[in-house]
Amino acid sequence: MTRFEREEWFITGGEALRVFDTALGRLAILICYDSEFPLLARAAVEAGAQVLLVPSCTDTLHGYWRVRLGSQARALEGQCFVVQAPTVGEAAWSPAVDVNRGAAGVYGPPDAAPAGGGMPADGVLALGEEGLGQWVFATIDTAQVDGLRADGGVLLVRHWAEQPGAVALPPVDVISLR
């Protein structure tokens, strides 16, 4: 939880992450601030997540950029897709949301498999316009994630265990929605 959520609303975190096994692939949800913590995404990826969904609510550009950069970093580290979906604009009906900043985006790892099927060089598959409430679309194929993890130019997911200072990851529940 962010400082505001902890100190003003007294919200506490949950017990375990969840990865959803769906007909579209394995999905996990990292809400806003969660995207800024590599070990949460790592736990989801190790449980098989191919797509991380990141809804967010940021009232400054600083917050938007932290979530966006975190989302792009998680796409790189996890060799996966990340879909960032912020609330954007004015919500006069809600004192908790009021005015939010951001732009929706779909990111992948900036990598290309030797046999093709890579991602854009900057990892950005689609990006909305900051401050504009809009739909943002991208076509993704979770088989690309599997291909990059198996034979990408870099093998980040495979090499995580070799990093010094390995720590226990948060628990993850895998839930079948098939």
Side-chain angles (χ1 to χ4, degrees), residues 61-119:
L61 285 175
H62 294 89
Y64 160 68
W65 277 103
R66 282 193 308 270
V67 174
R68 177 175 169 181
L69 292 171
S71 294
Q72 288 187 264
R74 303 305 75 90
L76 167 69
E77 297 160 353
Q79 293 180 287
C80 62
F81 294 108
V82 177
V83 179
Q84 181 186 5
T87 52
V88 177
E90 185 176 344
W93 50 268
S94 173
V97 177
D98 60 19
V99 177
N100 276 205
R101 303 294 303 267
V106 181
Y107 312 111
D111 191 13
M119 303 288 173

Side-chain angles (χ1 to χ4, degrees), residues 33-61:
Y33 192 46
D34 294 344
S35 69
E36 299 176 40
F37 294 91
L39 294 181
L40 295 176
R42 178 177 172 184
V45 165
E46 287 195 5
Q50 299 160 305
V51 180
L52 304 176
L53 305 175
V54 181
S56 62
C57 181
T58 52
D59 57 2
T60 67
L61 285 175

Side-chain angles (χ1 to χ4, degrees), residues 17-22 26-27 173-178:
L17 294 167
R18 290 180 177 84
V19 169
F20 300 95
D21 187 16
T22 74
R26 283 201 165 187
L27 316 174
D173 297 329
V174 177
I175 299 168
S176 178
L177 298 179
R178 291 181 186 249

